[in-house]
Amino acid sequence: MREALGLAEEAARRGEVPVGAVVVKDGNIIGRGYNRPITTSDPTAHAEIVAMREASAALGNYRLAGCELFVTLEPCVMCVGAMAHARIARVVYGASDPKTGACGSIVDLPALETFNHHGRFEGGVLAEECAATLKRFFAERR
């Protein structure tokens, strides 16, 4: 999660909402990402998606079975859907997102019995630190 926090800071330096993510396989980081939808003009360029793209390229497979994803903010609907399609085994996130969080804040996609893949989703890791990064970013914008 500390690596993801560093990536979130990079996003903030670039004027993006500070969210960072890493994908880990067998204890090694194989994908890194930070939010970049503004700088890339790509609405799908969330930190999680960028990290999964890099991890998929590293493995040569869009399935990321056995991988873990660490992200500083609770994933949105799009990202949870992509994680399910990629077969991510475990997702660990920091701060909850009361506006777009899809792991319990506004909806809980992983809890749906009919969802096609059920990885483990855990929140609250370094939550205060992750939330502080976001609060600082938005306070500086006001």
Side-chain angles (χ1 to χ4, degrees):
M1 188 62 81
R2 294 253 178 242
E3 179 72 17
L5 273 163
L7 291 163
E9 293 292 344
E10 179 61 27
R13 283 190 288 278
R14 295 172 184 260
E16 299 275 5
V17 174
V19 178
V22 295
V23 176
V24 175
K25 173 104 173 150
D26 300 325
N28 298 308
I29 295 174
I30 61 169
R32 290 175 172 80
Y34 56 84
N35 267 8
R36 53 184 89 176
I38 296 167
T39 54
T40 62
S41 298
D42 178 358
T44 69
H46 289 193
E48 304 96 305
I49 301 294
V50 174
M52 286 189 290
R53 286 177 180 153
E54 188 173 292
S56 293
L59 295 179
N61 192 338
Y62 76 102
R63 296 284 196 216
L64 298 173
C67 291
E68 299 173 297
L69 189 147
F70 295 82
V71 60
T72 58
L73 184 64
E74 179 182 359
C76 70
V77 170
M78 174 185 69
C79 291
V80 171
M83 291 167 190
H85 285 292
R87 304 296 192 260
I88 296 282
R90 179 175 172 235
V91 176
V92 178
Y93 62 91
S96 295
D97 185 351
K99 294 185 178 182
T100 64
C103 299
S105 288
I106 62 164
V107 295
D108 194 351
L109 291 181
L112 294 175
E113 287 185 29
T114 55
F115 212 53
N116 70 331
H117 172 69
H118 290 277
R120 289 188 357 238
F121 286 75
E122 305 166 25
V125 174
L126 299 179
E128 289 180 23
E129 210 170 320
C130 293
T133 300
L134 289 155
K135 288 176 186 171
R136 188 172 48 253
F137 175 81
F138 287 112
E140 291 170 1
R141 298 278 181 271
R142 292 185 187 119

